[in-house]
Amino acid sequence: MTRAIKVKNTEDIQKINRIVTQYSFDIWIHGKSGMVDAKSLLGMFLLSLNEPLSLVVEDDVDATDLLKDLEEYLEIED
């Protein structure tokens, strides 16, 4: 599963990191500059916030609760 995610500043990075560390499955953030483990605060700070970013979770994982927790950061899908 891939969803567009908005990360505007370092405060967003810290809040998103706090949320994703509560989950046992792998959660990644992909951008043009690379891919980082969303549970790694240091990795998250390496993201370029001026590019489109995507939240990536394995397809066989039930990410319903994660998506609810990250709702304010996710782009709305049609």
Side-chain angles (χ1 to χ4, degrees):
M1 176 210 62
T2 302
R3 294 284 304 268
I5 188 166
K6 299 174 283 191
V7 184
K8 295 179 232 126
N9 52 44
T10 57
E11 187 176 315
D12 284 354
I13 288 174
Q14 291 171 331
K15 287 179 181 177
I16 291 168
N17 179 261
R18 271 195 297 274
I19 292 168
V20 300
T21 55
Q22 299 174 37
Y23 293 90
S24 61
F25 49 87
D26 292 337
I27 303 167
W28 300 90
I29 305 281
H30 289 221
K32 291 180 183 175
S33 59
M35 160 179 98
V36 299
D37 181 348
K39 295 179 184 180
S40 167
L41 190 56
L42 182 58
M44 292 280 287
F45 277 114
L46 295 174
L47 290 171
S48 174
L49 303 182
N50 297 328
E51 64 185 46
L53 299 172
S54 298
L55 176 79
V56 179
V57 177
E58 293 293 328
D59 288 333
D60 61 347
V61 171
D62 180 6
T64 306
D65 290 337
L66 172 66
L67 295 178
K68 284 181 192 170
D69 289 345
L70 291 175
E71 187 174 40
E72 70 180 283
Y73 302 104
L74 298 176
E75 298 284 341
I76 296 172
E77 290 189 340
D78 295 328

